[in-house]
Every structure is written in structure tokens, then in C-alpha cells.
Amino acid sequence: MRKNIVAGNWKMHKTHSETIALIEEIVLKKQNTSTEIIVAPTFVNLQTAVTISEGNNITVAAQNMHQAEGGAFTGEISASMLTNIGVNTVILGHSERRAYFHETDALLANKVDTALKHNMRVIFCFGEELKDRQINNHFNVVEYQLRDALFHLQKSDWSNIILAYEPVWAIGTGETASPEQAQEMHAFIRSLIEKVYGNDVAENVSILYGGSVKPENAKEIFSKKDVDGGLIGGAALKADDFLAIVNGF
Ligand code: PGA
């Protein structure tokens, strides 16, 4: 059975004290739910986030990670640095990493391998740009992204993969894919995975939608059969909004 997940990608927001305040408010206000709640603060605040989240059914994730085990990579963070402080989930391939830091699917394939080697779970982000959708090339783009970054994996690796379909034109723009557009793409992704890995992998992988998810639209998007949750940017920065989205299931 696949899991419902709502993950907050905090990007380069929230200082240390703001991180403490936001997680404490989430802990205080959250209701009992079977939906997994994930928060992804920036690197320097991860350890504190882990300490506050422990025992409160909140998972802490990193927003990125380097592919090497270690070495002369100034400013970078390795998988073992993350797992050593209790961070066992990492977001990889976010469109901002792809656009501003030139991350390619080939590089992401390496990052995914390193994360899995360290027994981490990967939230793998992908999605088309507006220009792709305008020429009706969005299914191809998504297929190539998945193929190039993930389809070298073994079947057993997929228990540690969470997919996050994030059409770039919907991220931070206020423009959301319609629930029907999300469902259409999620169904396509699941069918693709079924073709390559079989029905059991396809049925068990959680596919999140990301891109301007808000309390007002979450319920309808999450009601779609192949949408198993969301990756939330802007609306994850306020506890009430984030929890309203969590309660959208
Ligand atoms: P947004 O960001 O919810 O602010 O559109 C989503 C994301 O970047 O993951």
C-alpha cells in the first residue's frame, strides 16, 4: 500500500530560531493523521529540526546532497553527514537545483545512487517547463527525466523512492496544474513505472504533486486517484497553511 505524504520544502527560508518556532507550532497544532509529514529546512538547521521532531511523527529531510562520499568539495554536504545527524530522507532534482545549479539527470542518477547506498529515502523531483507543455512535449520530457535519472535502479531500490511531479510553470507562480492535469500526468508516470518495473512497484510508489499547492486547492488535487500527496513550497512556511494541506486527505 502506498503512503500519503505531505512534505514542506522550506528552501532558503527560516533562520535557526524561526525553524524552532515553526516546527514547534506544527507539533502543537497537528492532529493525528496517517499521512506522513516531512519538513525540509536548510542544512544548518537540520540537526535542531531532528531533535524537535523526534517522537512527534515528523520526518526531517535535506533539500540536497553531494554525490561523493567525501573529499575536497568546498561548501558541499555528504550523505553520511546527513545520516549521522538522523536525516535519512533527501530531496533531489528540484527544478531550482536544475535551473540555478545546473544539475542534470546524469548527475542526479549519481546522487540517487549515493543516497540509496546510504539507505536514505529520496524524494525525486522532476517536471516539464512551460515551453514543453505549450508544444505538447510534457509527457516526453517527464519520461526522459525518469529514464535518465532512475531507470537504472533495481526493483528493490524503489521502496526508497518517492516521486514528486512538479511542473516548473507551477512552482512559486501561483499557477497550479488543474487536478485533472495532475491526475493525467501521475497516471502516465505510474504506467511508465509499471512498464519498466511491473505492477507491484508502480502501485507502491508514492507520487506527490508540487507547484502552488495551497489550503484552498489541496483537497481537490489530493482526491485524485494517482496523487499521493504534495511537495509544498510557499505554503509550508506557515504552520496553519501547511497543516490545512496535510488535513486535505
Ligand atoms: P511552491 O513550491 O509550493 O511555492 O510552488 C513548490 C516547490 O518548489 O517544491
Side-chain angles (χ1 to χ4, degrees), residues 9 11 94-96 166 170-174 210-213 231-235:
N9 172 14
K11 310 191 179 183
H94 191 279
S95 67
E96 287 147 20
E166 299 205 303
I171 295 178
T173 58
S212 299
V213 178
L231 181 57
I232 321 299

Side-chain angles (χ1 to χ4, degrees), residues 45-114:
N45 298 326
L46 286 173
Q47 187 156 19
T48 300
V50 168
T51 307
I52 310 174
S53 303
E54 246 157 29
N56 286 309
N57 282 326
I58 294 174
T59 305
V60 177
Q63 298 173 18
N64 178 37
M65 189 198 86
H66 196 272
Q67 66 277 14
E69 292 296 332
F73 300 104
T74 302
E76 291 293 331
I77 310 281
S78 73
S80 55
M81 290 172 186
L82 294 173
T83 56
N84 189 245
I85 58 163
V87 175
N88 297 299
T89 303
V90 61
I91 299 171
L92 293 176
H94 191 279
S95 67
E96 287 147 20
R97 300 290 320 167
R98 293 172 186 260
Y100 307 138
F101 303 97
H102 315 296
E103 295 196 2
T104 61
D105 287 308
L107 171 77
L108 291 167
N110 283 334
K111 289 194 176 199
V112 169
D113 287 345
T114 304

